[in-house]
Every structure is written in structure tokens, then in C-alpha cells.
Amino acid sequence: MQPDELSDEKHGGEDFDSSQRSRLVKHGLERAPHRWQLRATGLDDAAIDQPFVAVAHTFGEVSPCSQSLLPQIQAAKLGVEVGGGTAREFSTISVSDVLAQQHDGMRYSLMSREVIADSVEVVVRAQGYDALVGIGACDKTLPGLLMAMVRLNVPSLLLHGGQMLVGWHKGEQVNPLRMFEGVGKVHAGEMTAQELEQMGTDIVTTSGACPGQFSSGTAGSIAEVLGFTPLGSTSIPAAFSVRQAVARRASEQLMRNVKSGGGPLPRDLVTRKGLENAVAVVAATGGSTNASLHLPAIAHEAGIAFGLRDMQEILRRTPTLASLMPGGPHVPYDLHRIGGVPVVLKALLKGGYLHGDVPTLDGRTLEEALQDVADPDGTIVRSHLQPFRESGGLVVLTGNLAPDGAIIKIAGLTKLSIEGPARVFESEDDALAAVKQLAYDEGDVLVVRNEGPHGGPGMREMLSVTSAIVGQGRGQSVALVTDGRFSGGTRGLCVGHVSPEASQGGPLALVKSGDRIRIDAGTGEIELLVEEAELRRRRAEWKPVERPVRLAGVTEKYVRLVGPSSRGAVTHSGAMEWPLG
């Protein structure tokens, strides 16, 4: 017997699965040094012969979102091992969108999505892993992990880490969003700084993501309907021990998928039907405007062109069925108590707003998986026959100010249109300074430009500005229009993601203070009421705003690569396949 045959007999004989990607690092004579390295990590030969499953997570101390993950990581690894796989844990980055607010750190939030996706891709490809479990909870961690999964197209499972419990202040439940709005109340003289600080002390409860249908909760709902995440798991609070059982069971299911041929693979889940379902659940739950960035980016990884205009009609025709913060009074734990996101999905399916023939994590169709789900309770979730609103919580706007589209969140709004004079700011910082000083009038349209993916760079979110406006009691008497983005907690007449962005010569760059702007979320229009001849004259004179500092490092690379927000602000050409070799 030849040496290489002897090695094959011990590591990859009759029982060895030749379809494993991990064979590239452990099979045959040439991989003897690799097996030495693997044994040095504590593996024995039996573990080496099993499928290698990456368990990628964002556990750390940068935020309460990421700090809640450790027990679920351990449970997921146990599920992989029980299911006959060998778990290989590694971590990636996370950025707290709360701590990054109102300073240059926010430029790195959206950038972090790309870094997360890229870093997971690098490790999984380099190590030759066979499957992937991704665990996160913050705003950009979940989309970043989903993008990596679709890019890699290996059997994948996403676990949302859960949200914190809502705290109490002066005898009432207080969502953390009130902290941001409280800043505006202090500036308006309606609250003292000491009262705001006390509120921030009183409402501390558990670790977890911010409790509401904000960016994190929206991403979890998307992952559920797409089939990456166990149905009903997103709304379970982070502190609940049942999350560990969910993580273990789901990881065991992933291993059954791996051993039965791998399906459903991420690109079996991210299809046009799946994406349309995802838009529908965002609409029905009053989800975050950030979904209009992340869904096109996830689609891009599968080679599917799916942008704002593709989302427009789905958002218009899908009713709002859930009354969740910030568009309503209820929080994810309330939704969990009545059955979670599947209750919304079943109501949508009954109304004909979902494709029921798409696959889920365990291979059943979505329609099959929803058969035994409870009906809406009528308060937190309504049936499609009695919706909270006939259309969804998000509206895509188009017009001469946003030829490629913009987005507004109307969940919770009583006023859907405004026309008024523009008050132009060249940055978020300038706008926030004016808002703090109440240096604007009711009826104004505040224009904040040069904050897009390219112009920012990094597309900062405007939660501090919008919350201050709401806190000052002007959330529906003024509008804000920007090529930047908003937090999932933003409310008010706020139009974001205006595309093309100002730094690349979009119409937003041509607006002057005093120009009248009309916004109508009912008709989906946003118009700059200036004669076309005057706009042509301004365009001929336009020059990009010079950046205050020279770019370097990750920001330099990002500016060179990033695409428009209307197509997800992605940084590569998409749809890569992984050759098995």
C-alpha cells in the first residue's frame, strides 16, 4: 500500500464525504501538516473527519446587543456537535449604532456591514468550512452575516441574539427611543438634563438589542421569512433561556441539512419570491428604512437586481398589520407572547400578500410551516381584513429631487404630505446645531446633504437630529430630506436615501435655501419646485463639496468602491460562486 493510499484510508476512506469543502484542508497525504494543525486545536481524528461548521458571531462588549450572545453561541456549537459536525468558532466585529451617534463614528456603521460580510467570507473560504452558523443582534451584524451566507452559498443558519426587555420610569414602560427624543425636550425646555439622566438610569434592564421594530428587529423578521432563521425566534427576549434551546435545535437542523445534501442553500432562499416576501413583512410590521439598503445588498450577493423601485409596489399594496414601536406602542416581547413574527406572516399569507411556496430552514414550504400558527390577537397584530393601515409602513418616493428613489417611514404618522421652503445644510453636524438652537420654522423642509454612502462617507444615520425634532414637538410640522439614512427608531416626516446622492451630482446638490419642496407619501412623490431651466443653470455651475480631511484606511477604500444607496450601497460586483476545486 502506498503512503498516500494509507493516508486516504485513515482520513477519507469509504465513510469520507467527498463533497465536503473541508476535504481541501484535511484529506490525503498532502494534508498531513493540516491535520497536525487541527489536532493542535484539540480535535481528534473522528472530529477531523466530520463536516466543519463555522460558528461566526459578534460577541463582545461594544454594546448590550453583542454582550448577550455568549450562551447562544455555546448552545449553537453544542447543536452542531450533537448533529454530527465539528464546530469551529470565530468572531467578527460589531459597531453600536447608539454609541456611534452624533460624531464621526457613525460613518463606520454601514461600513461595518461590508467588513462583517468580507471577514466571514475570508475565514470560511480560507479554512474550507462546510457550513455556517451566524449569530448577531446589532443593526449591521445581521445583514452583514446574511450577505456573507448568500455570497458563500454554503448551508447556513442565522440566529438573532434577541432584544432587551423594556424598562420602567415613573410608573410606565419607557422605550429607549425616548432617550433620544428627550434630548430634544431638554433643548425645548420641556425636560431638565437631570430628569433625562434619571430616565436613562431607570430604564436599564437586560442586555440585548433595542426593543422595537427597529433595524435589528426588522432584519430578524426578514431572516425568518427568507428561511435563514427559525420561525418565531426573533422576538424572544435576549435574556430568555429558551433562546439557548432554539439555538441548539436550529443547529441540529442545519446538520440534517448538511448531511442530506446541503439544502436549502442560501441562494435557494434568496430568490425574487423570497425577496418580495421580505419586503412584505417589512411593510406589514412598520419596519426600518434600513431594510431598503439591506435587501438590495442581500439580493446583490445572489446576482439579483432588486432595488428601491422593485420594492415600491410591494410596499404600496401590503397593509400594515402589526402595531410595533416606533410606529405603535408594542414591543417585540408583546409580539412574542402572541406567537411572534409567524402570526404576521400567516395573516399576510391569508390575504394573498406572501408567496407560500418558498422553502424554510427545515425544508418545508412557508405555507406548510405556518399551518399551526395562531391567528392575530386583534391588538398587536390584526388580520388582513382589518389592517392598521391599507398600505405598508414604508413608502418609496420618486420625483425630480430623487430620480432613483428615496424612502420615508409613515408608520405612526398622521400627516403624509408637506410643502415648504428648503433650509439647506451641508452636513448632519450643521443641521443638528441649528435644531438645537431651534433655528428653523414650522413648515420648513430641512435638507441635509453630502451624507450619502460616497459623500459622507458612510451614510450616517440621523437619529439625533430627527429625535431632537420630535422631542421639540415638531415631528409632523417640519420635514427632513437627506441622502443619508435614518435609524430604525426614526419617526416623523423624514425622507432618506435620496438617490443619486449630492456628492455625485444628484439633484439634492442643486437645492438652495428658500426653494420650495413638495413631499407626498400618499402619492409617492418628492418634487423640487424649481424651473427646469434654472436647475440646468445650477448644474452647469455645480462643483462637489471638498472633503474637510484626506481620506485614508477603510474610508478611502469604501469611497472608491461603494455604489448608490438605491441599489444597497454595495462594494463588489456580486454573485460570486465558490469553486469546489
Side-chain angles (χ1 to χ4, degrees):
M1 184 176 291
Q2 297 299 312
D4 59 339
E5 292 173 344
L6 180 64
S7 180
D8 281 354
E9 182 177 312
K10 188 171 183 181
H11 294 284
E14 291 182 1
D15 295 331
F16 186 83
D17 183 358
S18 62
S19 68
Q20 289 182 15
R21 288 179 169 86
S22 59
R23 77 182 189 278
L24 300 172
V25 299
K26 63 188 182 185
H27 182 51
L29 174 65
E30 306 300 332
R31 302 300 185 264
H34 303 59
R35 292 190 291 276
W36 156 74
Q37 182 93 150
L38 291 169
R39 293 186 190 105
T41 69
L43 299 183
D44 59 18
D45 288 355
I48 292 172
D49 278 346
Q50 293 182 148
F52 282 178
V53 180
V55 179
H57 60 78
T58 60
F59 171 72
E61 296 180 334
V62 300
S63 71
C65 316
S66 57
Q67 202 163 13
S68 69
L69 302 179
L70 192 56
Q72 297 175 68
I73 294 165
Q74 299 303 322
K77 290 172 64 178
L78 179 59
V80 168
E81 299 286 343
V82 169
T86 298
R88 301 281 80 191
E89 177 189 345
F90 66 93
S91 61
T92 184
I93 68 164
S94 176
V95 167
S96 164
D97 273 25
V98 174
L99 295 176
Q101 286 288 339
Q102 206 175 323
H103 59 88
D104 272 356
M106 181 48 73
R107 301 191 189 282
Y108 297 92
S109 173
L110 187 57
M111 291 185 201
S112 77
R113 185 191 71 176
E114 313 308 307
V115 174
I116 291 164
D118 292 350
S119 64
V120 172
E121 177 197 0
V122 165
V123 175
V124 173
R125 288 191 191 279
Q127 303 291 119
Y129 292 146
D130 299 295
L132 171 60
V133 178
I135 307 175
C138 283
D139 294 7
K140 306 307 173 294
T141 60
L142 297 166
L145 290 168
L146 283 170
M147 289 166 65
M149 291 171 181
V150 182
R151 188 182 304 178
L152 293 163
N153 204 32
V154 298
S156 297
L157 161 68
L158 182 77
L159 294 170
H160 190 300
Q163 299 177 346
M164 64 175 65
L165 294 171
V166 179
W168 291 74
H169 173 69
K170 292 186 176 180
E172 65 172 339
Q173 280 194 315
V174 175
N175 194 282
L177 179 61
R178 290 265 296 276
M179 291 297 300
F180 288 94
E181 295 174 358
V183 174
K185 289 183 180 295
V186 172
H187 287 306
E190 297 178 12
M191 176 185 282
T192 68
Q194 292 76 14
E195 288 172 333
L196 180 61
E197 199 66 30
Q198 188 60 52
M199 181 193 295
T201 300
D202 291 348
I203 67 172
V204 172
T205 55
T206 66
S207 59
C210 295
Q213 195 64 346
F214 307 141
S215 297
S216 176
T218 302
S221 301
I222 287 170
E224 283 197 37
V225 75
L226 283 176
F228 286 90
T229 296
L231 285 168
S233 63
T234 297
S235 58
I236 303 172
F240 281 23
S241 298
V242 69
R243 279 205 158 275
Q244 297 170 50
V246 169
R248 176 173 171 172
R249 288 197 306 268
S251 297
E252 291 177 18
Q253 178 61 54
L254 177 66
M255 291 313 304
R256 288 193 287 273
N257 294 351
V258 170
K259 293 192 170 186
S260 65
L265 293 173
R267 295 189 192 182
D268 299 325
L269 303 174
V270 180
T271 60
R272 187 159 290 275
K273 281 186 176 181
L275 292 163
E276 289 175 356
N277 282 353
V279 176
V281 76
V282 173
T285 59
S288 169
T289 54
N290 281 309
S292 65
L293 277 174
H294 302 322
L295 280 172
I298 292 165
H300 179 76
E301 300 290 354
I304 300 172
F306 191 83
L308 273 178
R309 289 185 176 273
D310 298 278
M311 300 173 68
Q312 188 170 23
E313 178 54 33
I314 303 167
L315 292 170
R316 181 180 291 120
R317 71 175 184 241
T318 307
T320 301
L321 301 182
S323 178
L324 299 174
M325 182 70 67
H330 302 290
V331 294
Y333 179 47
D334 298 323
L335 182 62
H336 168 64
R337 288 189 295 103
I338 66 164
V341 173
V343 175
V344 182
L345 299 182
K346 186 174 182 179
L348 285 170
L349 187 64
K350 280 188 173 182
Y353 299 104
L354 284 187
H355 302 286
D357 57 347
V358 297
T360 60
L361 181 67
D362 62 10
R364 291 180 295 170
T365 66
L366 182 61
E367 184 172 9
E368 291 169 341
L370 295 175
Q371 282 183 354
D372 298 326
V373 170
D375 290 324
D377 69 320
T379 300
I380 301 165
V381 178
R382 292 183 181 177
S383 80
H384 69 283
L385 299 174
Q386 296 179 309
F388 290 101
R389 188 188 292 273
E390 294 295 334
S391 62
L394 299 181
V395 172
V396 174
L397 304 176
T398 54
N400 71 345
L401 192 55
D404 293 339
I407 194 86
I408 183 172
K409 186 170 187 173
I410 63 170
L413 289 182
T414 57
K415 181 179 179 180
L416 298 183
S417 64
I418 189 172
E419 180 181 323
R423 192 178 292 261
V424 178
F425 303 96
E426 301 296 345
S427 71
E428 178 192 6
D429 303 307
D430 293 345
L432 184 59
V435 169
K436 284 180 178 179
Q437 297 167 18
L438 295 172
Y440 65 102
D441 299 321
E442 294 197 18
D444 281 353
V445 178
L446 309 184
V447 173
V448 184
R449 61 191 180 199
N450 303 308
E451 293 289 3
H454 174 272
M459 204 177 188
R460 291 192 290 183
E461 72 177 33
M462 307 283 172
L463 182 59
S464 293
V465 179
T466 59
S467 295
I469 293 170
V470 171
Q472 292 167 359
R474 298 182 176 184
Q476 300 201 52
S477 61
V478 300
L480 189 147
V481 176
T482 181
D483 49 11
R485 62 186 180 88
F486 299 122
S487 161
T490 291
R491 52 181 176 164
L493 284 164
C494 300
V495 178
H497 306 194
V498 172
S499 186
E501 61 178 289
S503 71
Q504 303 209 304
L508 200 66
L510 308 181
V511 181
K512 292 185 176 182
S513 290
D515 291 345
R516 296 191 70 79
I517 293 174
R518 184 177 68 241
I519 301 164
D520 191 332
T523 61
E525 295 176 296
I526 181 167
E527 294 289 334
L528 175 60
L529 304 179
V530 175
E531 292 292 335
E532 185 58 38
E534 171 62 14
L535 292 177
R536 285 196 297 269
R537 186 189 67 77
R538 292 182 190 181
R539 182 170 298 284
E541 297 175 352
W542 175 78
K543 293 180 181 179
V545 173
E546 290 188 15
R547 300 183 193 278
V549 295
R550 187 180 67 84
L551 298 177
V554 67
T555 53
E556 179 184 2
K557 290 186 284 188
Y558 188 80
V559 167
R560 288 182 180 179
L561 297 171
V562 70
S565 60
S566 59
R567 296 201 290 272
V570 293
T571 57
H572 72 99
S573 57
M576 265 192 310
E577 289 288 355
W578 184 354
L580 293 180

